[in-house]
Structure formats: C-alpha cells, structure tokens
Amino acid sequence: MTHPETFYQQLQEICPGRRTLTRHVDLLPYESDALVAFSTKPAAVVLPETEEEVVAIVKVCHAAGVPFVARGSGTSLSGGSMPIKDGVVIALNRLNKILAVDPQQRTAIVQPGVINLKISTAVKQYGLYYAPDPSSQSICTIGGNIAFNSGGAHCLKYGMTSNHILALKVVLPDGEIVEFGSESTEGMGVGPDLIGLFVGSEGLFGIALKITVRLLPIPEQYKTVLAAYDTLEKAGDAVSAVVASGLLPGAMEIMDKMALKAAEAAVKTGYPAGAEALLIVELEGEKEQVEREFAELVNVIEGTGAYAVEVARDEAHRGKIWKGRKGAFSSVGRLSPDYIVQDGVVPRSQLGKALAEIEAASKRYGLGVANVFHAGDGNLHPLIMYDGRIEGQLEQAEKLAGEILATCIKLGGTLTGEHGIGVEKRDYMPLLFGETDLDVMDNIRNQIDTKGIANPGKKLPTGEAPALKMHGMHPLEKAGIISRE
Amino acid sequence: MQHKIDSKQHGPRGEAMTGAIESCVHCGFCLAACPTYTVLGEEMDSPRGRIYLMKNVLEGNLEQEEAQPFIDRCLGCMGCVPACPSGVAYGDLLTSYRAKVESERQRPLIDTVTRRMIIETLPYPARFRAAATAGKLGKLVQEALPDQLRTMLNMLPASLPKAIPIPPVVAAKGTKRARVAFLTGCVQTVLAPDINAATVNLLSANGVEVVIPQNQGCCGSILSHIGEEDRAMALAKNNLTAFAQIDGEVDAIITNAAGCGSGMHEYGLLFAWQPEQKMAEAFAAKVKDITVFLDELGLVGIPENQPERKVAYHDACHLAHAQGVTDPPRNLLSAIPNLTLCELNDGGLCCGSAGTYNLEQPDIAAQLGRMKAQAIADTGAETVVMGNIGCFTQVENHLAKMGATIRVMHTVQLLAQAYGV
C-alpha cells in the first residue's frame, strides 16, 4: 500500500464496502480516460453517493496531502480525468440526480454526475433543453463539462458551458464549501465572475457539488443543410461567406473526406458521395424565421461552389447526420489503430490557411490527418492517425500535433477550444502564455489549493516554479519544428 | 488501443480478439448503452472496462480469475455494438474470450450444477420437457433450494402447453412466392409451441412454402454464448447436415428466435479453422429472422377489418443490437390496420433475460427486468410484442410481478392473429 493504512480506513469509513476500490483489478479500468495513450494507476477509487461524502473525502485527502481527481464518465480527450499517480479518483457517477426543475425560471439544479443529455431528456416535457452539446453528450457528465468548459456543435450560437451555468456549490481543495453565482437568470450582477473562474479550471479549484444550469426553449424548427465541396478550402471559405451574409446558424461544421469515410462506415448516414469536404449548417428557431434564413443560406451556398446541396429529409435523417458527426472522432478508430485528436482554434478568417498548413504538415510527416471541426467558431479537430506498433510513430505524431498547435497560435488562435489542456497540451502552454501569465495563474491556483492536491499535473506546467520551465528551449524548438517570434 | 498480445498464441479466435481490442479507442460512448453500467455505475462493469480487463488478462498483466466476475456479469446483450462509433466487434471478442477461459476455469459447485442443468437440458426439447415437468415437483421443496436453482424453477410455467406437431413441409397458400427452410429451435418448442405454429401459418398465408428438416435440433447458440464452444459446435454441425439434406434450393433459413439468429450468423467464427468453415459461412449467409424475410417479401392479404390495438414493441438485444434488426418488425406491425405502435422510452436497454443470464446473475437480471416492465407499462399499451423467447419469459414474469395485465406476444403471433391463421 502506497499510503498509511489509516488513510484507506478513513476512505472506507466514508465509502464502505465496494465503494472504496483498491484492488489491482478494480483500479485498472480507471487508469485512463478517453486519451488512452496515457495511463496512471491511482491508489484508490471511491464512489461517493452524497455531497457530504464527497466533502469528507476531500478533507481526508487534504489532511493526508494525497492528490485527487474527480471523474464522471471518463471521456476527457486531454487526459483531464486521468488519475494522479498514487492519488484518489473520486468517481461522481452516483451523484446523478436532477434535484429540481423550474420551467418558469427555465433553470434546473443538478448533481455533477448527471449526464449532459439526460438534462434535456428530463426537461423536454416543458419544451426546454440544455444547449451545450459536446459530441459525447450521451455519456459525458455536467461535472466534467464544467471542469473543461465544454463546447459542442451548437455552441456557435449559444456559447460554451460557462454561458449556461448560473450558480455553483463547490468544495474547495481544503474541504471548504463555497457558493458562486445566483439562481437568477440575470446572472450575478456585481463582483468578480467567480463562475467564469471556476468553469474551465480543469479540477484545479475543487469539485462542483450542485449546479444550476440555464435551460432554453426547444427551437420550433430545425433545418439541416449539407453542402458538398470538391476541396476543403472551398468549404472553409463557405463558412466565412455564410457569416459575412449576417446569418447566425445554430451550428456550422466541416468534415473532410477521411472523417466522412469513417463516419459513414459507423452510421450509414448517406452523406453526399465523393465529397472532399462536407459543410453542415443547421438553422434553428421560429418556423418563419428559419424558412426565411434557409432561402438566404441556399443563396449564399450557391455562390461558394458546392457541387451538391441536400437538406435533412426528416427528424430521423437529421438524427443520423448528427450521430455520424458526433461519433466522428471515435469512428476514426476504424481507419487507424491509433490517433491523436487536436483541438486548436484559429480566427475564422484563417480557416483556409490553417487547413492548408495542416495538409502540408501531414504530407511532410507521412501521417494521415482527418479533419472534423466546428468551423463556425474556428475550432479545428485534426485527427492525426498513426500506428503505435511502429517504432517512433507516436513520437512523430506528437511532433506533428505540436506543429499544428504552433500553427494555430501563429495564426492568432489558441491551444484548445473545448477539450482542455489536461496532461496532453500542458507542455505547450508556454507557447501561448508568457512567464508572467503562467505565474499569475499558478499564484491563483496556490491561493485556492495550498497543498497542490486538486488534479495536480494538469493544465499548468509542473514544478515548483512552473514558469522556469520556459527557460531553455522547448523540445519542439530544439527539433527545429517551432520557433517563437 | 495498443496491446501486447500475441494473437497467434490464442488459436483460431486470436485475431478476432486482438482486432476488437485494437479498434477500441476507449471513448466511453458505449457506457450509456450498457445495462450493467447503468445498474452498477462502475467502469469494470462497462464494455470499455471489460475490454480493458480482457486485454490485460490476455497480455498477462492480470489473473484471469480476478477479471472473471466482471466478464461473467456481461449480459452479452450487444447494446454497446451499435453505440460504438469505432466498430469494435465486441461480440466476437466476448464469445471468443469466454470460449478460451471456460476450459481453464474453476467454478463453485452450485454454479457447476446449474450450468450442467442448462447445458444438458435447454438445448434438447425432450429432456427440457421432462426437466420442466420434474421442476413442478421441485417447486414443492423450492424454499430449501439455493437461489440459482430457485430462480430457475420460478421461471418455469405452472403448466406446459401441449406440443403442436408441424409437418415436414407446409405448402404455400395461393401463388407460391418463395421457399424457405425453418429452424424450429429448442426451448421455445416446449415453452411456446404456438410461436412456431404461427410462424409457418403466417409464411404459408403469404405464399411461402416452408420446409422443416426433421433431423434438426438446437442451433447451439445458447451454448456458444456462454463459452461452451465444443458442445455448441457439435449441435451446429448436426444442423448443418440436417439442412443440407433439403431437396432443392431454399431462399432463406428462417428463425423466429433472436438468440438463434444472432448465433447462427456467427457460425463462421464458431467454425474458424474447421473443415466445415465454408459450409458454415454459406449457411450463416442464408439465415434470416422471420421479420426481415417478411418485410423484404412484403405482406400480402392482411384482412382490412382489424380491432383497435395499442401495441408496444420491445427490441430483443440479439435482434436489435446483435443483428441490427429494428425496422422490419416495426414495418410489419405498422402494416396491421388500426394498430398504434408504442415505443419504449428506455434507450433499448436489455430486459435482463439474455440467454441464461437470469439463471446465472439473478440480482442484476431482476433489476433490469423491473426496469423493462416499468418502461412497457409506461407506454399504456395493452400488448407488448418481441422477437425472442428468452425475453418473453422474463418480461412476462416481471410484468406479472408489478401487477400489470399486459399481454406478451411474439411478433409473429400478433401478425398471425391479424391474419386469422
């Protein structure tokens, strides 16, 4: 045992019997999340069932100085919910109750283990839904969405998770309970935006225990348009054309040939055949408005060189289009034994340029890259395909990933749109932020988490003085891949 | 997912196992579709968790006995298969893994006894009929019996229906539109002989000649799904021979049991590296669920004058998930005039029957059974139909337990009723 016997006994007292797991066989399946290339074995997994149990566990960890990470469904693509070595995994799946729904106020109060889509299912009877829709929404939990400020296809129109969280009850890393925000849909009014600080903090500031989310009325009508192009660049330019026309679609997505092939194999959606790139634009809102916008959209798309334009026939067809799109990452598993998915963002106007650079880099490395992305907000998702069984390919893929991120930053973008930094992009933080920036972030973190036990090793570069890591060259600089201007 | 398994070490099924592990990307999309994850909420009891455990056992990082309880708890419902964007052939992995460990493992005595009873009786109608009759006597002393045997007894009906003999050939009525061979099955012929009668009558009414090979027996699926590979293969071989003796061509081999259909579609894997592999693959290619066949053929001559019916359709896992058959039964039911089709709002979770699961894991099976019964009751339908005898008994028992008076029927029984045959 890694820790003193009493530590495990304390966990056992809070979560008795099979709710504290320490055997090899029980810990193994928790050693990775959806970033399966990385794994770390925890000292224990605990399965609390109440808020009080979560708080008690945090206090025990704090007293013993043992690091912890909260975990929902383990779908993080940046290793955000990967265990800390010899730390505790606090699995929140059993805190999965929707505590209250207020249809008049259009809010719901939920526990962190509630699955994103289940909120929408539960409030459908009131004509409401929860807007942020990460592709993993059928299984990812609200707690994880908060930790990573998750986005999704429809965040183009509605904003990310942080725009939909009204109030939070949180346990800080030392066990103190605090509440941020208010249940008013008008937001908090005065004072600093503490919800803004907490949402997206990747577990460094503690664990959300109770969450008030904003609900929206279900749009009266959807109109999902597919436009097929013979080059990726044309599709990218079409995005700018749509935005320039003044339209604000609910979602605007692009999938390239490889991604289409994988998604088609998974879902048999019947995407237009032979496309190098497919643009999916979804209009939504009141019926008359959607009809008006649709006419305008078709008009705009006609001028962008699409060789085929289709409209979702019915709700079932629309469902399939989105199922294929939302499962696209995982379906790339059909094309390649391994892949790294990146999450860089570029200004929308730079999309075409970014895609061209990615393609060139892909050729240079001899590694295939499939592209699926939230085109409307410039959030790229290049999937770098490699075969880990071939010596050196993982390293090559990582280098290529680093180069793509450097390109995004060079074009005025950023490292991540929605997957978070996690362990995966941590070492690239100095590419984006200066020493002072990183020191400020680290200072804030040290004020909140004095012992450094809340998901340490994620998001911020490690070490006592993290900014020091920036002295000397980044490994990618040494390799001549990136440079700092 | 990366692994360090030497697939050649694991015989004919080695590549099926490593192939499935390689295609898993650990994304977690399967969790929502997994009944045991829904009930237990632990990673070890999820599809991706089990894949991870099987991988570690095959790599030699984990003792097989340690992983086994979690593998045993898998219903084999294949709910994860359509949910998986990456196309992991979970069924191939599970069946192969179970076959591999079954020969090596030690079971507690009571498990061995229960398992023996399953293996020695279920596939054989005459033995099962005798055992079921004896079981009625067993009910007198059931309080003294261990849980598993008691569950088994509880599943037996109070009285067995009379056998309905079916002739070797049933002629097509009207113009002959097709000719098929029919698998009569094992358990079902004892528990619900009416389903087979309804099947041949329905086919005949639709202009289909039905040939019933007389030497056929159990197709072996119920055994192959629990890892009894050799016995499954022996039974399957018997059927390959029996169906090969049919004079002339048939358009399809029809089954009305989802479990049998899914098992027979896997014959190619069951006979991997065997001399019969080609023959088994050809057989598998001809197998069709009754609803698929009739939907493709198109129903003719349904009497127009039908009563108002409110019918719920329950997707049997081995039909919906393992074979991807969801539309055909709905299309057929919707063709009955005045019938309102109700969908269950439970995401297609398994009812907990899953072959012999309700015998081997009675607690989880009971919880899933209750959830399913509730979802059926919530639709307000007066009848629920499905395409698998296994679910039939489970759903009937749990509806009865909650006091619901909802009639449970096989899809073909309702169709035959509508035809008045």
Side-chain angles (χ1 to χ4, degrees):
Chain A
M1 294 233 161
T2 328
H3 303 293
E5 186 62 34
T6 49
F7 176 71
Y8 296 95
Q9 279 166 3
Q10 285 173 308
L11 292 180
Q12 268 288 346
E13 273 164 32
I14 303 163
C15 292
R18 285 281 301 158
R19 294 205 288 126
T20 295
L21 308 172
T22 51
R23 295 185 309 163
H24 177 55
V25 63
D26 295 326
L27 300 180
L28 261 179
Y30 284 94
E31 68 180 16
S32 279
D33 49 26
L35 183 69
V36 73
F38 292 80
S39 61
T40 311
K41 215 166 133 191
V45 175
V46 284
L47 300 153
E49 291 176 348
T50 64
E51 275 181 29
E52 293 71 26
E53 287 177 358
V54 178
V55 175
I57 294 160
V58 169
K59 283 183 175 163
V60 166
C61 288
H62 185 256
V66 175
F68 63 84
V69 57
R71 177 181 165 119
S73 301
T75 54
S76 171
L77 290 161
S78 59
S81 53
M82 190 181 82
I84 314 301
K85 189 173 179 331
D86 300 328
V88 173
V89 173
I90 306 177
L92 298 171
N93 314 68
R94 297 184 183 188
L95 275 85
N96 58 359
K97 289 182 196 64
I98 296 175
L99 301 168
V101 177
D102 184 341
Q104 267 81 45
Q105 185 76 2
R106 291 184 182 158
T107 59
I109 303 176
V110 303
Q111 291 188 311
V114 169
I115 288 166
N116 174 303
L117 192 60
K118 292 245 163 113
I119 301 179
S120 295
T121 312
V123 301
K124 195 179 168 194
Q125 55 181 313
Y126 308 112
L128 300 171
Y129 78 118
Y130 177 68
D133 62 337
S135 292
S136 56
Q137 70 181 137
S138 61
I139 188 63
C140 65
T141 62
I142 277 296
N145 290 178
I146 286 174
F148 286 85
N149 191 17
S150 303
H154 292 78
C155 291
L156 171 62
K157 185 167 185 174
Y158 300 105
M160 318 277 283
T161 300
S162 62
N163 297 91
H164 299 265
I165 304 300
L166 297 169
L168 281 176
K169 179 180 180 186
V170 165
V171 55
L172 299 178
D174 61 359
E176 188 190 345
I177 296 172
V178 291
E179 298 197 24
F180 307 141
S182 83
E183 276 153 30
S184 152
T185 43
E186 297 304 313
M188 4 200 329
V190 289
D193 180 8
L194 294 175
I195 288 182
L197 180 67
F198 191 86
V199 176
S201 62
E202 302 197 4
L204 302 190
F205 298 159
I207 300 173
L209 299 171
K210 204 161 90 175
I211 301 124
T212 307
V213 299
R214 184 199 303 277
L215 304 172
L216 295 181
I218 299 173
E220 192 184 358
Q221 194 179 26
Y222 291 102
K223 203 125 196 173
T224 313
V225 181
L226 306 178
Y229 294 89
D230 54 12
T231 69
L232 191 51
E233 207 178 342
K234 279 187 196 167
D237 291 343
V239 173
S240 297
V242 172
V243 174
S245 75
L247 288 168
L248 179 55
M252 214 167 1
E253 304 279 305
I254 292 180
M255 295 165 83
D256 76 359
K257 192 178 172 179
M258 292 265 218
L260 284 168
K261 187 177 160 197
E264 188 65 42
V267 183
K268 294 179 187 64
T269 310
Y271 293 121
E276 282 294 323
L278 181 73
L279 174 67
I280 307 173
V281 185
E282 185 158 275
L283 299 168
E284 56 185 61
E286 286 174 14
K287 202 163 183 273
E288 282 171 22
Q289 174 208 341
V290 169
E291 290 301 339
R292 209 169 47 238
E293 290 183 355
F294 175 63
E296 203 179 326
L297 177 68
V298 170
N299 204 14
V300 174
I301 285 180
E302 265 172 15
T304 59
Y307 72 81
V309 179
E310 289 177 15
V311 181
R313 290 182 297 276
D314 48 30
E315 193 48 36
H317 187 206
R318 174 177 176 257
K320 273 200 158 181
I321 290 169
W322 283 114
K323 194 177 177 197
R325 164 58 192 91
K326 295 199 169 189
F329 290 180
S330 313
S331 59
V332 167
R334 292 168 185 262
L335 306 183
S336 172
D338 302 284
Y339 62 79
I340 297 177
V341 53
Q342 279 302 338
D343 180 37
V345 183
V346 294
R348 204 159 37 210
S349 57
Q350 302 289 324
L351 263 182
K353 206 167 177 189
L355 292 169
E357 291 208 18
I358 290 173
E359 199 184 342
S362 156
K363 285 208 177 110
R364 216 162 44 244
Y365 279 81
L367 293 173
V369 175
N371 281 292
V372 189
F373 49 99
H374 304 313
D377 38 21
N379 187 186
L380 302 168
H381 288 316
L383 292 122
I384 302 159
M385 297 183 270
Y386 68 97
D387 186 341
R389 290 166 298 190
I390 299 170
E391 190 73 30
Q393 260 205 11
L394 168 64
E395 290 70 25
Q396 282 296 103
E398 284 183 323
K399 271 189 188 174
L400 173 54
E403 202 169 319
I404 291 174
L405 288 177
T407 301
C408 292
I409 292 171
K410 189 182 76 189
L411 294 172
T414 183
L415 290 171
T416 172
E418 55 191 8
H419 299 171
I421 298 294
V423 284
E424 186 220 4
K425 293 184 277 290
R426 185 190 61 191
D427 293 342
Y428 297 110
M429 285 288 271
L431 282 185
L432 186 62
F433 296 105
E435 287 183 39
T436 319
D437 298 330
L438 289 171
D439 279 342
V440 169
M441 287 188 224
D442 204 50
N443 277 337
I444 295 174
R445 178 252 176 96
N446 289 337
Q447 294 297 318
I448 298 173
D449 180 12
T450 48
K451 289 192 173 176
I453 55 167
N455 212 11
K458 314 285 176 69
K459 195 170 183 103
L460 298 176
T462 45
E464 282 181 15
L468 285 179
K469 277 202 87 171
M470 292 186 47
H471 294 298
M473 286 169 89
H474 189 277
L476 292 178
E477 286 181 278
K478 274 188 208 158
I481 295 165
I482 54 169
S483 62
R484 270 179 275 191
E485 274 113 348
Chain B
M1 199 156 54
Q2 290 296 309
H3 63 82
K4 298 185 185 70
I5 306 161
D6 179 7
S7 63
K8 288 179 211 77
Q9 265 192 358
H10 299 288
R13 288 165 175 261
E15 275 185 27
M17 292 195 279
T18 51
I21 290 166
E22 280 159 23
S23 52
C24 174
V25 298
H26 216 254
C27 66
F29 277 42
C30 52
L31 303 184
C34 177
T36 55
Y37 185 79
T38 305
V39 171
L40 302 166
E42 293 172 25
E43 195 70 35
M44 302 77 78
D45 281 301
S46 75
R48 121 181 127 169
R50 291 189 177 104
I51 293 172
Y52 209 72
L53 291 176
M54 288 189 263
K55 168 182 116 87
N56 274 278
V57 171
L58 295 170
E59 282 176 335
N61 296 332
L62 179 66
E63 290 300 321
Q64 178 247 308
E65 302 88 74
E66 283 191 80
Q68 205 53 42
F70 305 107
I71 311 301
D72 284 346
R73 273 206 285 276
C74 173
L75 293 130
C77 74
M78 302 301 136
C80 52
V81 172
C84 175
S86 188
V88 174
Y90 181 80
D92 290 355
L93 170 62
L94 183 73
T95 314
S96 305
Y97 183 88
R98 281 183 169 165
K100 179 190 139 47
V101 300
E102 199 48 52
S103 54
E104 301 162 11
R105 72 187 292 196
Q106 298 281 321
R107 287 174 178 276
L109 182 63
I110 181 62
D111 282 6
T112 312
V113 171
T114 317
R115 210 175 159 84
R116 268 298 120 209
M117 286 177 72
I118 293 166
I119 293 166
E120 296 294 347
T121 58
L122 288 193
Y124 309 98
R127 285 189 216 168
F128 180 56
R129 180 171 279 280
T133 313
K136 279 190 283 179
L137 297 175
K139 284 195 175 190
L140 297 173
V141 293
Q142 65 176 332
E143 288 312 313
L145 292 173
D147 279 356
Q148 278 155 311
L149 289 180
R150 198 159 54 211
T151 310
M152 219 162 155
L153 287 176
N154 279 338
M155 288 182 55
L156 292 173
S159 64
L160 289 178
K162 235 179 119 210
I164 305 176
I166 298 175
V169 177
V170 177
K173 279 188 192 143
T175 318
K176 184 166 148 186
R177 300 164 70 206
R179 181 173 191 252
V180 300
F182 177 48
L183 175 91
T184 48
C186 48
V187 179
Q188 181 174 287
T189 55
V190 178
L191 290 179
D194 181 54
I195 297 175
N196 279 352
T199 304
V200 291
N201 293 341
L202 186 64
L203 284 166
S204 163
N206 277 282
V208 182
E209 182 185 83
V210 189
V211 186
I212 297 115
Q214 297 296 293
N215 297 329
Q216 65 170 300
C218 168
C219 66
S221 304
I222 201 164
L223 299 186
S224 105
H225 288 152
I226 59 170
E228 292 288 337
E229 193 181 22
D230 292 345
R231 286 163 179 273
M233 215 189 295
L235 290 169
K237 258 185 211 168
N238 171 61
N239 274 6
L240 289 182
T241 314
F243 280 76
Q245 284 163 355
I246 298 171
D247 280 333
E249 280 295 303
V250 290
D251 299 306
I253 297 166
I254 300 295
T255 171
N256 53 25
C260 307
S262 98
M264 290 191 290
H265 278 126
E266 288 166 12
Y267 271 3
L269 187 60
L270 181 65
F271 285 96
W273 296 7
Q274 300 289 324
E276 297 87 351
Q277 188 173 357
K278 274 237 150 61
M279 191 182 179
E281 281 166 359
F283 181 97
K286 283 224 150 166
V287 170
K288 270 187 188 160
D289 186 75
I290 175 74
T291 58
V292 174
F293 177 78
L294 281 177
D295 186 43
E296 283 170 5
L297 186 72
L299 292 177
V300 289
I302 299 189
E304 280 299 316
N305 189 17
Q306 298 287 341
E308 293 282 340
R309 290 182 174 98
K310 206 170 169 201
V311 177
Y313 181 74
H314 156 63
D315 277 304
C317 296
H318 279 96
L319 202 51
H321 305 146
Q323 300 182 69
V325 175
T326 52
D327 288 345
R330 288 176 171 82
N331 295 344
L332 296 176
L333 291 167
S334 303
I336 301 175
N338 302 326
L339 184 146
T340 311
L341 191 61
C342 309
E343 293 291 339
L344 306 190
N345 192 16
D346 67 351
L349 274 195
C350 178
C351 66
S353 169
T356 56
Y357 194 82
N358 44 13
L359 307 180
E360 296 184 336
Q361 303 281 348
D363 293 342
I364 301 171
Q367 199 166 337
L368 291 169
R370 279 196 296 277
M371 286 158 66
K372 183 59 75 180
Q374 190 59 53
I376 294 168
D378 287 346
T379 63
E382 70 254 12
T383 307
V384 58
V385 303
M386 58 201 68
N388 197 36
I389 179 72
C391 317
F392 218 78
T393 320
Q394 169 85 343
V395 170
E396 225 164 28
N397 283 348
H398 283 279
L399 282 173
K401 266 187 197 151
M402 65 181 285
T405 51
I406 298 170
R407 192 159 173 213
V408 180
M409 295 178 91
H410 192 287
T411 314
V412 294
Q413 287 177 304
L414 188 73
L415 284 162
Q417 196 184 68
Y419 269 87
V421 294

